[in-house]
Amino acid sequence: MPPRIARALFALGLTAALAAQAQGAEPPGQAEARANFNRKVVLAADDVRVFDKPPAGFADAAAGIAQGQVAEFGYDSAVTHTRRTALVYLPPGYSPQRRYPVLYLLHGIGGNQHEWRGYVRAMAVLDRLLAQGQAEPMIVVMPNGRARADDAPPPAEQTFTPEHIAAFGAFEADLLQSLVPAVDASYPTLADAGHRAIAGLSMGGGQALNFGLGHPEAFAWVGGFSSAPNTRPALELLRDPAAARHSFKLVYLSCGNRDGLINVSQSMHRELRDLGVAHVWNVDEYGHDRDSWAENVYHFARRLFR
Ligand code: FER
């Protein structure tokens, strides 16, 4: 099956179901999905690092550096009909008298709204960049990207079930119809696409590319880090590929060259290249892990809203 068809099926949550059906086997999911992590990496000539490594300690919390404040933000979801919780980072020196651009940062398949702050240490990265004037002051919203009533990360053996994967797709409507309007109503945001970014890691990278490239009216800055097979083909996402050459201020793709999911990002890179949509393609020497995500959120954040 051609990869783009496989990916489209996956997006519908069918790959696992079909595979299980074919084998007459037990519940769909795990084995097929996990096998993707172990795919052989085949590198092309342009699958290279385009940014130097950040300075040592770039993701370490440091004494003497002003820290942004992180708070829980509750909103009513028209999709799940529940009250949902996101984390919101307000930059050092935040003032309700000013207006800020907003970055939406999406977690991976086993994570939740705490993953970027806890595992990746994204707030430390931003605090340091802001202290050095190397990033624009911005509000960062870290939602739970699993739009279902019970949005807790499932037990490991249920991570890849169709209903859990579908919840990451259902987040598109939750984000656009409920979360973004609630954030814009509650914080002093610059509430237009030119001041709104979306990025994510792995499953969240796929979401960021799907929702960002699919909604240029909402996001002009889009980043997919180590994006997972939920990523849809560019030609499906870009309803007007010619217009897309001018709609985005930044499209940023990255992946580690030891990550078995790299074929997903390679495909997106090649599709965008062939469509003439300018983008960053940064391949580092990491696996599917926080080292890649911390470095790439550093490089991405430095380029945002500038
Ligand atoms: C898959 C392998 C990995 C997959 C998703 C992932 C949807 C997501 C990984 C992550 O978020 O870390 O086959 O299919």
Side-chain angles (χ1 to χ4, degrees), residues 16 78 80 102 119 127 165 188 199 216 219 221 236 278 294:
T80 63
V102 185
Y119 178 57
D127 288 340
I165 286 165
F219 303 99
W221 310 79
E236 274 176 27

Side-chain angles (χ1 to χ4, degrees), residues 176-226:
L176 292 167
Q177 290 164 30
S178 299
L179 178 57
V180 169
V183 167
D184 286 337
S186 307
Y187 292 95
T189 61
L190 292 159
D192 63 312
H195 297 93
R196 199 180 292 121
I198 185 165
L201 67 88
S202 199
M203 199 70 175
Q207 287 178 308
L209 296 175
N210 293 346
F211 309 161
L213 297 179
H215 293 280
E217 78 288 358
F219 303 99
W221 310 79
V222 181
F225 312 137
S226 318

Side-chain angles (χ1 to χ4, degrees), residues 76-131:
D76 293 315
S77 168
V79 171
T80 63
H81 307 290
T82 55
R83 185 116 181 121
R84 310 197 70 222
T85 305
L87 290 188
V88 174
Y89 166 92
L90 302 177
Y94 170 81
S95 159
Q97 264 43 268
R98 294 176 59 181
R99 292 198 167 268
Y100 295 89
V102 185
L103 164 63
Y104 289 82
L105 214 40
L106 310 180
H107 61 80
I109 201 161
N112 62 15
Q113 63 270 30
H114 299 281
E115 185 171 44
W116 273 103
R117 183 192 190 198
Y119 178 57
V120 185
R121 305 200 297 273
M123 275 57 261
V125 173
L126 278 170
D127 288 340
R128 281 178 176 265
L129 284 175
L130 288 166

